[in-house]
Amino acid sequence: MFTRELGAETVSGDYTQADLLFKIRKVVRYIGLYGVSRTWVKIKGQYHTKAAADFDGPRWVNPRCKNPNLESRNVAIIGCGNYSYSNIAYYLSKCNPGFLRVTCDIQKSRALSLCKAYGGGHAVTDWKEIIEDPQVKIVFIASNHASHAEYAVACIEAGKHVHIEKPHVVTQKQLDRLLAAMRQHPRVKVYLGFNRPRSRLFRELQKILARESGPLMINWFIAGHEIADDHWYFDEKEGGRVLGNLCHWTDLTLHLVTLEKAFPCTIVPSTPAGAKSDFSVSVIFADQSCASITFSAKGHTFEGVKEVLNLHKGNVLANLTDFQILTSDVMEKKTRQKLRHRDHGHEANIVHSMAGSEGEGAGEAVSYVEATALFFLAVRQAIDSGEKVVLS
């Protein structure tokens, strides 16, 4: 059904090929930004994607996994790229070292490498083995974007909870199928890979804004990595960088405005003709909130993606920088919060999905899964066409 499964990461340069001085500087900087253990797994993730060893046949059984049939070993991962290695598996292992049942990727080397690193039971190339495995309770999907919804629907119909990395769909047809599956199987929980709303400082910002009334003025500036023109992100069926990257900040904007006040909205693009990685879009929401989202990718940023949010609501002026520093002015009161390390909400979001599969809390509401997808699909339509789009 699918021609490839690749990790959900955006290529940002092969640092394994850099000179020693660059590597040292990179490591030192990242330890300051993310801490020692997080930096270490990011380094290992770079080498994981270059793993060469594979296995014969469609399945590899891990001889070092002495207890593959433990009930708690109930997680499957489809798509074993850097993101799965250094985020999904890393944070799940912190909660439960024996979480991993099976890894799946058509690149055998990646499925094998991730399975070995996190002590999984076995690695496979056929995702249908996961569907047929009664021990698998939740499936984390981090394959190429066009395959996310297809795998998710199959898992839902098989009664397995799913965590779908962004974007959860790339077309309206996929969205219709996903929503239908969710409605037909209401006991199956669906979680989305939009991690930033669960970051600590974003939650603090929402608390501050909740005390104010009226519309918001929102301005996002994001500097992302340049990627090669032949990268798979630019394949038409994968949704490009609007669905591959920009969807993070369209989703965050909806969280700020809230679904109840967002629609209908008017989306106006201001993007150079033919631009593949540089976008600017303005949105006017139903409650008269306004948002401007600018995404720029020119070269490689040394510290990863740079994100700056400025907003105004009522008496609040706030700035959130790189999900590490939050400043707010409320009349005469000024506050500044700075975390020791950046927190993009990855751990909270991934662990939340795992806890939900164990019965703690509900999955995402159908209304939210639908609304955030309709919004990023409409933003893509506006940018691709160069014309205003009204989403009702």
Side-chain angles (χ1 to χ4, degrees):
M1 182 183 297
F2 311 116
T3 59
R4 60 186 174 183
E5 290 136 10
L6 299 170
E9 77 282 359
T10 301
V11 171
S12 57
D14 182 1
Y15 302 129
T16 66
Q17 300 300 311
D19 61 64
L20 181 59
L21 183 58
F22 180 92
K23 289 178 180 178
I24 292 172
R25 288 173 174 168
K26 190 80 171 175
V27 169
V28 171
R29 189 74 63 85
Y30 267 52
I31 288 174
L33 293 173
Y34 300 106
V36 174
S37 63
R38 188 84 182 93
T39 298
W40 176 236
V41 79
K42 282 178 174 286
I43 294 170
K44 291 170 67 178
Q46 286 270 319
Y47 288 93
H48 157 73
T49 60
K50 298 169 71 68
D54 60 18
F55 51 93
D56 295 326
R59 164 189 276 250
W60 175 79
V61 178
N62 189 354
R64 294 191 175 185
C65 183
K66 305 303 182 183
N67 49 5
N69 297 316
L70 278 181
E71 185 178 353
S72 61
R73 191 178 292 281
N74 54 31
V75 175
I77 298 176
I78 298 179
C80 300
N82 193 0
Y83 187 84
S84 290
Y85 187 97
S86 60
N87 286 279
I88 295 173
Y90 171 71
Y91 287 121
L92 291 178
S93 69
K94 289 177 66 176
C95 297
N96 172 18
F99 74 96
L100 187 57
R101 170 69 170 172
V102 55
T103 60
C104 176
D105 199 298
I106 64 169
Q107 292 192 43
K108 292 182 178 181
S109 59
R110 293 188 175 189
L112 176 62
S113 174
L114 196 152
C115 189
K116 279 185 175 181
Y118 291 96
H122 55 279
V124 302
T125 56
D126 185 356
W127 62 275
K128 292 180 181 177
E129 286 202 39
I130 291 173
I131 298 297
E132 296 166 358
D133 187 340
Q135 188 167 321
V136 172
K137 183 178 292 184
I138 183 169
V139 183
F140 284 77
I141 300 170
S143 50
N144 60 298
H145 301 160
S147 68
H148 288 179
E150 307 300 333
Y151 289 133
V153 169
C155 290
I156 293 168
E157 292 176 345
K160 300 183 186 303
H161 307 304
V162 291
H163 172 108
I164 316 170
E165 275 307 319
K166 56 81 187 167
H168 46 296
V169 301
V170 297
T171 66
Q172 180 66 51
K173 183 177 180 181
Q174 284 191 345
L175 178 59
D176 292 341
R177 292 187 60 224
L178 178 61
L179 297 176
M182 291 179 68
R183 292 181 177 117
Q184 290 167 9
H185 302 273
R187 294 185 179 181
V188 176
K189 298 176 183 179
V190 174
Y191 301 95
L192 303 185
F194 291 120
N195 46 278
R196 284 166 174 79
R198 295 191 187 278
S199 65
R200 280 174 285 174
L201 291 185
F202 190 81
R203 291 196 301 253
E204 285 298 316
L205 175 60
Q206 287 182 300
K207 292 177 183 177
I208 294 170
L209 295 177
R211 296 192 285 267
E212 301 292 322
S213 59
L216 294 94
M217 184 65 71
I218 301 167
N219 182 282
W220 282 105
F221 178 80
I222 307 103
H225 296 293
E226 180 183 35
I227 58 178
D229 286 342
D230 61 353
H231 190 269
W232 66 270
Y233 261 44
F234 295 129
D235 188 321
E236 178 66 23
K237 71 174 182 292
E238 302 292 350
R241 297 199 77 169
V242 175
L243 302 195
N245 296 120
L246 199 68
C247 63
H248 269 306
W249 297 281
T250 60
D251 179 74
L252 279 165
T253 301
L254 281 187
H255 277 82
L256 289 169
V257 177
T258 72
L259 298 188
E260 296 77 14
K261 299 177 181 180
F263 306 109
C265 66
T266 301
I267 304 163
V268 181
S270 178
T271 300
K276 299 170 68 176
S277 297
D278 297 291
F279 313 113
S280 182
V281 63
S282 298
V283 187
I284 301 175
F285 294 96
D287 73 339
Q288 300 304 301
S289 290
C290 298
S292 174
I293 308 173
T294 300
F295 182 91
S296 176
K298 304 178 187 299
H300 296 299
T301 57
F302 191 73
E303 295 183 351
V305 176
K306 301 288 289 183
E307 305 164 66
V308 180
L309 166 67
N310 287 293
L311 62 78
H312 190 187
K313 180 183 182 183
N315 294 318
V316 173
L317 285 169
N319 170 277
L320 177 61
T321 299
D322 293 327
F323 291 86
Q324 187 175 13
I325 302 172
L326 172 64
T327 60
S328 63
D329 294 5
V330 184
M331 299 294 288
E332 77 285 359
K333 183 179 180 181
K334 294 178 177 289
T335 61
R336 184 177 188 270
Q337 301 177 63
K338 181 177 181 180
L339 304 179
R340 183 177 181 185
H341 303 302
R342 289 180 182 178
D343 174 23
H344 290 95
H346 288 109
E347 181 171 14
N349 199 47
I350 291 165
V351 171
H352 174 76
S353 299
M354 181 65 169
S357 73
E358 301 294 341
E360 299 180 24
E364 306 289 6
V366 174
S367 58
Y368 164 62
V369 173
E370 180 178 27
T372 191
L374 288 174
F375 187 40
F376 65 61
L377 289 172
V379 168
R380 184 194 181 194
Q381 179 186 346
I383 290 174
D384 286 352
S385 68
E387 299 179 354
K388 177 177 69 175
V389 171
V390 177
L391 176 62
S392 57

